[in-house]
mmCIF file of all heavy atoms in Angstrom:
data_model
loop_
_atom_site.group_PDB
_atom_site.id
_atom_site.type_symbol
_atom_site.label_atom_id
_atom_site.label_comp_id
_atom_site.label_asym_id
_atom_site.label_seq_id
_atom_site.Cartn_x
_atom_site.Cartn_y
_atom_site.Cartn_z
ATOM 1 N N ARG G 31 133.373 203.497 145.145
ATOM 2 C CA ARG G 31 133.922 202.879 143.972
ATOM 3 C C ARG G 31 134.383 201.471 144.321
ATOM 4 O O ARG G 31 134.134 200.469 143.664
ATOM 5 C CB ARG G 31 134.969 203.718 143.359
ATOM 6 C CG ARG G 31 135.545 203.093 142.050
ATOM 7 C CD ARG G 31 136.587 204.060 141.442
ATOM 8 N NE ARG G 31 137.422 203.254 140.535
ATOM 9 C CZ ARG G 31 138.621 203.841 140.135
ATOM 10 N NH1 ARG G 31 139.044 204.990 140.597
ATOM 11 N NH2 ARG G 31 139.337 203.169 139.234
ATOM 12 N N ALA G 32 135.138 201.400 145.531
ATOM 13 C CA ALA G 32 135.712 200.031 145.936
ATOM 14 C C ALA G 32 134.552 199.136 146.185
ATOM 15 O O ALA G 32 134.560 197.920 145.898
ATOM 16 C CB ALA G 32 136.521 200.232 147.206
ATOM 17 N N ALA G 33 133.436 199.692 146.797
ATOM 18 C CA ALA G 33 132.303 198.663 147.190
ATOM 19 C C ALA G 33 131.689 198.148 145.904
ATOM 20 O O ALA G 33 131.269 197.004 145.859
ATOM 21 C CB ALA G 33 131.120 199.562 147.867
ATOM 22 N N ARG G 34 131.531 199.065 144.853
ATOM 23 C CA ARG G 34 130.986 198.540 143.613
ATOM 24 C C ARG G 34 131.848 197.519 142.972
ATOM 25 O O ARG G 34 131.375 196.440 142.475
ATOM 26 C CB ARG G 34 130.878 199.670 142.631
ATOM 27 C CG ARG G 34 129.407 200.051 142.131
ATOM 28 C CD ARG G 34 129.486 201.196 141.149
ATOM 29 N NE ARG G 34 129.094 202.482 141.848
ATOM 30 C CZ ARG G 34 129.977 203.631 141.907
ATOM 31 N NH1 ARG G 34 131.213 203.513 141.326
ATOM 32 N NH2 ARG G 34 129.587 204.644 142.577
ATOM 33 N N GLN G 35 133.179 197.820 143.041
ATOM 34 C CA GLN G 35 134.168 196.769 142.460
ATOM 35 C C GLN G 35 134.078 195.502 143.267
ATOM 36 O O GLN G 35 134.173 194.375 142.741
ATOM 37 C CB GLN G 35 135.536 197.319 142.417
ATOM 38 C CG GLN G 35 136.287 196.596 141.388
ATOM 39 C CD GLN G 35 137.722 197.204 141.304
ATOM 40 O OE1 GLN G 35 138.119 198.297 141.785
ATOM 41 N NE2 GLN G 35 138.610 196.499 140.684
ATOM 42 N N ALA G 36 133.906 195.559 144.575
ATOM 43 C CA ALA G 36 133.869 194.337 145.424
ATOM 44 C C ALA G 36 132.698 193.561 145.027
ATOM 45 O O ALA G 36 132.652 192.321 144.942
ATOM 46 C CB ALA G 36 133.844 194.751 146.842
ATOM 47 N N ALA G 37 131.545 194.204 144.896
ATOM 48 C CA ALA G 37 130.353 193.449 144.576
ATOM 49 C C ALA G 37 130.570 192.783 143.185
ATOM 50 O O ALA G 37 130.102 191.566 142.973
ATOM 51 C CB ALA G 37 129.153 194.474 144.488
ATOM 52 N N GLU G 38 131.164 193.415 142.230
ATOM 53 C CA GLU G 38 131.365 192.787 140.885
ATOM 54 C C GLU G 38 132.316 191.640 141.055
ATOM 55 O O GLU G 38 132.241 190.596 140.281
ATOM 56 C CB GLU G 38 132.006 193.841 139.843
ATOM 57 C CG GLU G 38 130.903 194.755 139.357
ATOM 58 C CD GLU G 38 131.526 195.991 138.735
ATOM 59 O OE1 GLU G 38 132.704 196.080 138.374
ATOM 60 O OE2 GLU G 38 130.816 197.062 138.672
ATOM 61 N N ALA G 39 133.190 191.727 141.981
ATOM 62 C CA ALA G 39 134.084 190.608 142.214
ATOM 63 C C ALA G 39 133.568 189.455 142.964
ATOM 64 O O ALA G 39 134.285 188.427 143.048
ATOM 65 C CB ALA G 39 135.383 191.091 142.866
ATOM 66 N N GLY G 40 132.347 189.554 143.487
ATOM 67 C CA GLY G 40 131.786 188.436 144.249
ATOM 68 C C GLY G 40 131.442 188.704 145.697
ATOM 69 O O GLY G 40 130.991 187.726 146.427
ATOM 70 N N ALA G 41 131.639 189.802 146.209
ATOM 71 C CA ALA G 41 131.242 190.127 147.577
ATOM 72 C C ALA G 41 129.628 190.098 147.607
ATOM 73 O O ALA G 41 128.904 190.572 146.688
ATOM 74 C CB ALA G 41 131.670 191.508 148.049
ATOM 75 N N ASP G 42 129.165 189.513 148.769
ATOM 76 C CA ASP G 42 127.719 189.364 148.854
ATOM 77 C C ASP G 42 127.085 190.609 149.624
ATOM 78 O O ASP G 42 125.842 190.799 149.596
ATOM 79 C CB ASP G 42 127.439 188.117 149.614
ATOM 80 C CG ASP G 42 127.757 186.944 148.924
ATOM 81 O OD1 ASP G 42 127.206 186.526 147.876
ATOM 82 O OD2 ASP G 42 128.824 186.256 149.347
ATOM 83 N N GLY G 43 128.005 191.265 150.193
ATOM 84 C CA GLY G 43 127.513 192.501 150.907
ATOM 85 C C GLY G 43 128.744 193.449 151.236
ATOM 86 O O GLY G 43 129.863 192.981 151.019
ATOM 87 N N ILE G 44 128.327 194.619 151.624
ATOM 88 C CA ILE G 44 129.431 195.635 151.946
ATOM 89 C C ILE G 44 129.237 195.938 153.403
ATOM 90 O O ILE G 44 128.216 196.289 153.897
ATOM 91 C CB ILE G 44 129.347 196.821 151.097
ATOM 92 C CG1 ILE G 44 129.603 196.497 149.558
ATOM 93 C CG2 ILE G 44 130.280 197.981 151.596
ATOM 94 C CD1 ILE G 44 130.990 195.886 149.195
ATOM 95 N N THR G 45 130.468 196.047 154.115
ATOM 96 C CA THR G 45 130.434 196.374 155.494
ATOM 97 C C THR G 45 131.130 197.702 155.699
ATOM 98 O O THR G 45 132.246 197.844 155.067
ATOM 99 C CB THR G 45 131.064 195.343 156.350
ATOM 100 O OG1 THR G 45 130.170 194.170 156.205
ATOM 101 C CG2 THR G 45 131.206 195.788 157.821
ATOM 102 N N ALA G 46 130.631 198.588 156.473
ATOM 103 C CA ALA G 46 131.289 199.912 156.723
ATOM 104 C C ALA G 46 131.108 200.226 158.150
ATOM 105 O O ALA G 46 129.939 200.120 158.675
ATOM 106 C CB ALA G 46 130.789 200.980 155.773
ATOM 107 N N HIS G 47 132.131 200.732 158.772
ATOM 108 C CA HIS G 47 132.072 201.048 160.265
ATOM 109 C C HIS G 47 132.108 202.533 160.321
ATOM 110 O O HIS G 47 133.198 203.178 159.987
ATOM 111 C CB HIS G 47 133.231 200.512 160.985
ATOM 112 C CG HIS G 47 133.193 200.653 162.413
ATOM 113 N ND1 HIS G 47 134.110 199.976 163.276
ATOM 114 C CD2 HIS G 47 132.473 201.378 163.287
ATOM 115 C CE1 HIS G 47 133.910 200.420 164.570
ATOM 116 N NE2 HIS G 47 132.891 201.259 164.540
ATOM 117 N N LEU G 48 130.994 203.235 160.681
ATOM 118 C CA LEU G 48 130.932 204.635 160.971
ATOM 119 C C LEU G 48 131.361 204.859 162.397
ATOM 120 O O LEU G 48 130.656 204.687 163.297
ATOM 121 C CB LEU G 48 129.596 205.141 160.651
ATOM 122 C CG LEU G 48 129.493 206.754 160.756
ATOM 123 C CD1 LEU G 48 130.270 207.457 159.583
ATOM 124 C CD2 LEU G 48 127.944 207.232 160.710
ATOM 125 N N ARG G 49 132.669 205.302 162.666
ATOM 126 C CA ARG G 49 133.138 205.328 163.979
ATOM 127 C C ARG G 49 132.720 206.805 164.484
ATOM 128 O O ARG G 49 132.578 207.799 163.672
ATOM 129 C CB ARG G 49 134.621 205.247 163.979
ATOM 130 C CG ARG G 49 135.100 203.841 163.628
ATOM 131 C CD ARG G 49 136.671 203.620 163.948
ATOM 132 N NE ARG G 49 136.981 203.654 165.365
ATOM 133 C CZ ARG G 49 137.195 202.576 166.029
ATOM 134 N NH1 ARG G 49 137.242 201.376 165.458
ATOM 135 N NH2 ARG G 49 137.522 202.685 167.272
ATOM 136 N N GLU G 50 132.628 206.883 165.808
ATOM 137 C CA GLU G 50 132.235 208.203 166.390
ATOM 138 C C GLU G 50 133.258 209.264 166.026
ATOM 139 O O GLU G 50 132.913 210.469 165.855
ATOM 140 C CB GLU G 50 132.263 208.071 167.907
ATOM 141 C CG GLU G 50 131.020 207.267 168.405
ATOM 142 C CD GLU G 50 130.995 207.072 169.869
ATOM 143 O OE1 GLU G 50 131.563 206.144 170.416
ATOM 144 O OE2 GLU G 50 130.321 207.822 170.540
ATOM 145 N N ASP G 51 134.531 208.962 165.898
ATOM 146 C CA ASP G 51 135.501 210.053 165.521
ATOM 147 C C ASP G 51 135.750 210.181 163.998
ATOM 148 O O ASP G 51 136.476 211.021 163.510
ATOM 149 C CB ASP G 51 136.905 209.628 166.149
ATOM 150 C CG ASP G 51 137.440 208.303 165.645
ATOM 151 O OD1 ASP G 51 136.970 207.761 164.633
ATOM 152 O OD2 ASP G 51 138.553 207.897 166.212
ATOM 153 N N ARG G 52 134.926 209.378 163.192
ATOM 154 C CA ARG G 52 134.920 209.527 161.744
ATOM 155 C C ARG G 52 136.284 209.371 161.110
ATOM 156 O O ARG G 52 136.648 210.037 160.180
ATOM 157 C CB ARG G 52 134.310 210.771 161.198
ATOM 158 C CG ARG G 52 132.851 211.213 161.777
ATOM 159 C CD ARG G 52 131.823 210.201 161.465
ATOM 160 N NE ARG G 52 130.471 210.540 161.661
ATOM 161 C CZ ARG G 52 129.793 210.629 162.738
ATOM 162 N NH1 ARG G 52 130.317 209.943 163.893
ATOM 163 N NH2 ARG G 52 128.529 210.993 162.803
ATOM 164 N N ARG G 53 137.068 208.465 161.723
ATOM 165 C CA ARG G 53 138.498 208.417 161.284
ATOM 166 C C ARG G 53 138.588 207.782 159.861
ATOM 167 O O ARG G 53 139.637 208.003 159.103
ATOM 168 C CB ARG G 53 139.503 207.595 162.303
ATOM 169 C CG ARG G 53 139.089 206.131 162.244
ATOM 170 C CD ARG G 53 140.073 205.359 163.122
ATOM 171 N NE ARG G 53 139.767 205.615 164.519
ATOM 172 C CZ ARG G 53 140.138 204.788 165.588
ATOM 173 N NH1 ARG G 53 140.819 203.736 165.179
ATOM 174 N NH2 ARG G 53 139.901 205.140 166.719
ATOM 175 N N HIS G 54 137.667 206.983 159.400
ATOM 176 C CA HIS G 54 137.688 206.552 158.015
ATOM 177 C C HIS G 54 136.390 206.869 157.241
ATOM 178 O O HIS G 54 136.253 207.749 156.535
ATOM 179 C CB HIS G 54 138.280 205.100 157.879
ATOM 180 C CG HIS G 54 137.731 204.087 158.988
ATOM 181 N ND1 HIS G 54 136.380 203.957 159.330
ATOM 182 C CD2 HIS G 54 138.381 203.298 159.776
ATOM 183 C CE1 HIS G 54 136.337 203.041 160.249
ATOM 184 N NE2 HIS G 54 137.566 202.652 160.551
ATOM 185 N N ILE G 55 135.330 206.031 157.475
ATOM 186 C CA ILE G 55 134.040 206.132 156.798
ATOM 187 C C ILE G 55 133.435 207.485 157.319
ATOM 188 O O ILE G 55 133.393 207.750 158.598
ATOM 189 C CB ILE G 55 133.163 205.050 157.004
ATOM 190 C CG1 ILE G 55 133.855 203.741 156.351
ATOM 191 C CG2 ILE G 55 131.788 205.198 156.604
ATOM 192 C CD1 ILE G 55 133.861 203.791 154.876
#
Side-chain angles (χ1 to χ4, degrees):
R31 179 177 166 199
R34 242 182 264 118
Q35 200 178 346
E38 280 162 20
D42 300 288
I44 296 298
T45 294
H47 185 174
L48 185 66
R49 294 188 73 103
E50 289 181 272
D51 62 9
R52 308 300 197 269
R53 69 174 73 155
H54 36 55
I55 293 294

